[in-house]
Amino acid sequence: MADSTLADPLPLAQALMRRPSITPAEAGALDVAQAALDALGFKTQRLKFGAVDNLYARLGAARPNFCFAGHVDVVPPGSGWTSDPFAAEVRNGFLYGRGAADMKTAIAAMIVATESFLAAKGPPDGSISFLLTCDEEGPAVDGTKAALAALKAKGETLDHCLVGEPTSEDRVGDTIKNGRRGSLNVVITMEGKQGHVAYPQRANNPVTAMVELATALKARKLDDGAPGFDPSNLEITTIDVANPAHNVIPQRATAKLNVRFNTAHSGESLIAWIEETAQRIAKARGAKAELQIASQSVPFYTEPGPFTDLVSQAVRESFGITPMLATTGGTSDARYIKDYCPVVELGLRNETAHMVDEHCAVDDVRTLARCYEAVLRKYFAG
């Protein structure tokens, strides 16, 4: 049930979800959040880079500066929904629509939690800020990453940050993400020489070199894990030749791979290893290898300590459970925030994120708002 002293985050969540802010379009979602923060006395500013609009809002000028961060952009809805994906319809206690889990509801909960905190405690002994982007589901270059650099150039400092990504598994509050693995996507092209299969001496089959390369890459054990992390893993996701003929040795073979890696590695060290291995095998086979880095994101890790303890205490107070710290899952904008301040992620269940009929329990959104309010209360209590 909603706390009688806390405003209901549902109307704000619905207002945000009714803006079809598919990456990188803001579509009025940032306007909704900005209006709500303006009403609370925040000093707001828009930071636009390329096609991406971002919002930074701050209440207070002193430190420490506690930041709520998240994104209002969503992935395309797809087809097959039982209701309009941007209608934010409530059915049987569940809120349906894009952003219900990931993560417009969390932004609404953050704003309502701040409103409740200010009503009860007044202005904090420090500052509260919000950093919201429209680029997390896209390239993530002109969003949080660019905004943080611009804010630093203006003299802004963040001391701690909580990101509202959907981190929970079985119950809301059961998981706090204090880290995420890095991700590296690589496209490898192996160039040989086309020819007739009956005369292999006149050709050079790139598939042979590619299979050997894939075997060599998979054979290496990357690590045994790192503090807070499971072992890194490399997966070959496709090998493509596009050869319709049975009697032709192809000229080219292409492979794609992904590495999910912990803090034992950097993207650069992994790229150097893959490059060296590819070139060595290509040379031995008389082929030519070329690598293209399709995308790269770095891992982040916040050491367990006072900040993670504080957020865990807020979860126990609000949800009545003890959360676990985890570093599983995909990437998030916390990988950029970690260069500026300690950061953790806490949000709703991730079970339906990016799915058709994405939804969440309305009561979970209300409890999450209470939890965020508890975080603020404990943080500014010292």
Side-chain angles (χ1 to χ4, degrees):
M1 298 297 291
D3 192 321
S4 60
T5 64
L6 190 75
D8 190 353
L10 177 61
L12 181 55
Q14 289 176 303
L16 290 167
M17 291 170 60
R18 286 168 181 160
R19 304 307 195 273
S21 51
I22 300 171
T23 307
E26 177 266 334
L30 284 182
D31 294 336
V32 171
Q34 185 170 6
L37 292 168
D38 282 337
L40 295 179
F42 279 75
K43 181 180 179 181
T44 59
Q45 56 181 301
R46 299 289 270 269
L47 303 167
K48 189 166 187 178
F49 305 96
V52 178
D53 209 353
N54 305 280
L55 171 65
Y56 180 68
R58 181 167 178 168
L59 180 70
R63 295 180 65 182
N65 180 7
F66 179 87
C67 182
F68 283 120
H71 62 93
V72 299
D73 60 316
V74 296
V75 297
S79 59
W81 287 70
T82 54
S83 59
D84 184 336
F86 296 108
E89 181 179 304
V90 175
R91 301 197 305 270
N92 300 317
F94 290 88
L95 173 63
Y96 286 80
R98 267 293 172 256
D102 188 15
M103 54 160 281
K104 291 182 176 181
T105 46
I107 292 172
M110 290 168 172
I111 294 174
V112 167
T114 303
E115 178 184 9
S116 175
F117 172 81
L118 294 174
K121 303 293 184 180
D125 186 13
S127 301
I128 302 172
S129 60
F130 281 75
L131 178 57
L132 307 178
T133 182
C134 288
D135 189 38
E136 198 273 347
E137 301 289 10
V141 172
D142 292 326
T144 298
K145 182 179 181 180
L148 285 167
L151 290 169
K152 182 179 180 181
K154 293 181 179 182
E156 287 287 323
T157 300
L158 308 182
D159 290 286
H160 293 88
C161 183
L162 191 155
V163 182
E165 288 287 347
T167 60
S168 302
E169 298 291 341
D170 299 322
R171 291 180 58 189
V172 177
D174 63 7
T175 306
I176 295 171
K177 295 291 177 71
N178 66 318
R180 298 264 190 171
R181 293 184 297 174
S183 177
L184 176 64
N185 285 307
V186 180
V187 179
I188 305 173
T189 301
M190 197 70 72
E191 194 85 17
K193 183 180 179 182
Q194 183 174 315
H196 197 295
V197 295
Y199 305 97
Q201 71 276 13
R202 298 175 183 172
N204 188 345
N205 195 336
V207 179
T208 303
M210 185 63 79
V211 171
E212 185 177 338
L213 173 60
T215 302
L217 294 176
K218 283 294 295 179
R220 178 184 170 186
K221 183 178 183 181
L222 293 175
D223 55 66
D224 292 311
F229 288 90
D230 291 332
S232 303
N233 66 290
L234 180 151
E235 299 299 332
I236 309 293
T237 56
T238 183
I239 296 179
D240 298 304
V241 182
N243 183 8
H246 286 268
N247 60 349
V248 176
I249 292 173
Q251 180 179 342
R252 183 180 298 107
T254 302
K256 296 179 181 178
L257 63 86
N258 175 268
V259 188
R260 292 299 169 106
F261 59 99
N262 57 41
T263 51
H265 309 271
S266 68
E268 291 72 21
S269 66
L270 290 167
I271 292 168
W273 163 61
I274 296 169
E275 177 80 44
E276 185 278 328
T277 307
Q279 296 301 339
R280 173 170 47 82
I281 291 174
K283 182 178 179 180
R285 290 289 179 180
K288 290 177 60 179
E290 181 179 314
L291 268 67
Q292 178 186 351
I293 310 306
S295 65
Q296 180 183 174
S297 60
V298 298
F300 87 89
Y301 185 64
T302 298
E303 289 281 353
F307 183 46
T308 58
D309 289 347
L310 182 151
V311 178
S312 296
Q313 290 165 10
V315 169
R316 283 193 290 272
E317 177 183 310
S318 305
F319 292 97
I321 58 176
T322 298
M324 70 173 184
L325 299 180
T327 59
T328 54
T331 61
S332 76
D333 278 355
R335 69 187 188 269
Y336 301 126
I337 299 170
K338 58 93 175 172
D339 292 329
Y340 296 82
C341 69
V343 56
V344 298
E345 303 175 24
L346 171 65
L348 295 177
R349 295 180 64 202
N350 52 39
E351 183 181 25
T352 64
H354 293 199
M355 295 179 66
V356 169
D357 279 347
E358 179 181 348
H359 63 275
C360 66
V362 172
D363 279 349
D364 283 345
V365 183
R366 292 167 175 156
T367 309
L368 185 64
R370 291 203 300 275
C371 183
Y372 289 157
E373 190 274 337
V375 169
L376 289 175
R377 180 163 29 84
K378 294 175 184 298
Y379 187 85
F380 289 107

